[in-house]
Amino acid sequence: IAVCVHRRLWGLLNRQGKTLCEPQYLYKEGISNGDFFDGMAIICRDNLFGFINQKGEEIVAPQYGAVGDFSDGLAPVQQDKLYGYIDPTGKEQIPLQFQDANVFSEGLAAVNSKGSWGYIDRSGEMVIPPLYRQGGTFKNGLALVIAAGKWAYIDTKGQPVWVENIR
């Protein structure tokens, strides 16, 4: 699948050069224009976001103020200033309730709840309490956070494995 761009709008071509979808989605800086994650790509029309599949079919019509890429079968979406998660059919799996939300990684996602970052699992359960000023995604079992004014790495249980030593 290839992205074709015409006048700041993008669409999709297959390997034979056949148009899967005409250029109709706004090319936006800071999002993955035409890049697929878990078989879905972010689209933007009229400054609202949704998703298409690799056949060029619009699965989730542009309706969200912000979205993130699909990962672990879920994507963060924002509507009315709150974030939640949808599945690849567009069905809400974790209700809109967070002030901010990151993509899932290694089964966990960082979410901002009442001004602090914690981590939820795929069911939406808060498994690492919101104790952090910043929460990164997990990679190789570790996530970078800011705790008590210091950078730290935590494991998937929320236990610190390294804390910045400021002298």
Side-chain angles (χ1 to χ4, degrees), residues 8-39:
R8 303 268 313 146
L9 298 177
W10 66 269
L12 295 175
L13 302 172
N14 68 13
R15 290 179 186 217
Q16 292 73 41
K18 180 181 175 223
T19 300
L20 296 174
C21 72
E22 295 290 337
Q24 60 185 300
Y25 302 115
L26 184 61
Y27 188 90
K28 297 276 280 186
E29 298 295 327
I31 66 167
S32 51
N33 300 284
D35 288 337
F36 288 86
F37 296 87
D38 283 3

Side-chain angles (χ1 to χ4, degrees), residues 108-111 117-121 125-130 132 134-138 143-145 154:
L108 299 173
V111 294
W117 289 85
Y119 292 83
I120 60 171
D121 64 15
E125 181 182 348
M126 188 71 71
V127 294
I128 299 175
Y132 309 104
Q134 183 174 336
T137 56
F138 276 93
L144 186 61
V145 298
I154 59 170

Side-chain angles (χ1 to χ4, degrees), residues 10 12 21 25 36 39-41 43 51-53 56-59:
W10 66 269
L12 295 175
C21 72
Y25 302 115
F36 288 86
M40 303 289 277
I43 56 174
F51 294 91
I52 61 173
N53 64 17
E57 300 166 332
E58 203 168 279
I59 302 300

